Amino acid sequence: MKIIDKKNIDQERKQRFEEKARTALLNGDRIPENYRVEFLGLCIYSNGLFAELTVYIYKPRSRKPDIIWTLFMDIAHEEVDFSKSHFAYLK
């Protein structure tokens, strides 16, 4: 298992992961359009086919994160499996 957090990743890859998470959550109607997404960490499993992407979700004008999502991703197809993903409200 390879763990990548936001301190050990370059800005370009960080933005790419944030964008993938944002599009997956928007396409799945999980968050509204005006919510902000911040990359927190990535855990790639040893076979390299699946990963868990952890992100913070901020409501508009919110300084502290409101929701934390752990998205279970199929890397080969770049799809998120919401049946295995989970979230928690922080406020």
Side-chain angles (χ1 to χ4, degrees):
M1 186 180 312
K2 182 178 179 184
I3 299 174
I4 303 170
D5 62 354
K6 66 181 179 181
K7 294 177 185 173
N8 299 331
I9 193 167
D10 59 25
Q11 190 67 21
E12 183 179 323
R13 286 182 70 192
K14 179 183 170 189
Q15 288 177 346
R16 194 170 71 232
F17 285 128
E18 286 177 354
E19 192 60 36
K20 283 183 183 181
R22 181 171 174 73
T23 56
L25 291 168
L26 285 173
N27 291 341
D29 292 331
R30 306 290 196 238
I31 62 169
E33 183 76 29
N34 57 352
Y35 279 32
R36 188 169 39 111
V37 177
E38 180 187 335
F39 172 76
L40 187 61
L42 178 71
C43 177
I44 300 174
Y45 292 104
S46 59
N47 61 6
L49 297 176
F50 299 101
E52 284 186 356
L53 177 64
T54 307
V55 293
Y56 280 144
I57 307 295
Y58 294 84
K59 291 181 180 177
R61 296 181 306 222
S62 181
R63 290 185 176 189
K64 295 182 181 178
D66 296 290
I67 305 169
I68 185 169
W69 268 94
T70 301
L71 303 169
F72 189 79
M73 295 183 70
D74 180 3
I75 295 176
H77 298 105
E78 292 189 3
E79 294 178 349
V80 175
D81 184 4
F82 284 107
S83 65
K84 296 180 182 177
S85 301
H86 54 277
F87 69 96
Y89 292 106
L90 300 175
K91 290 184 182 178

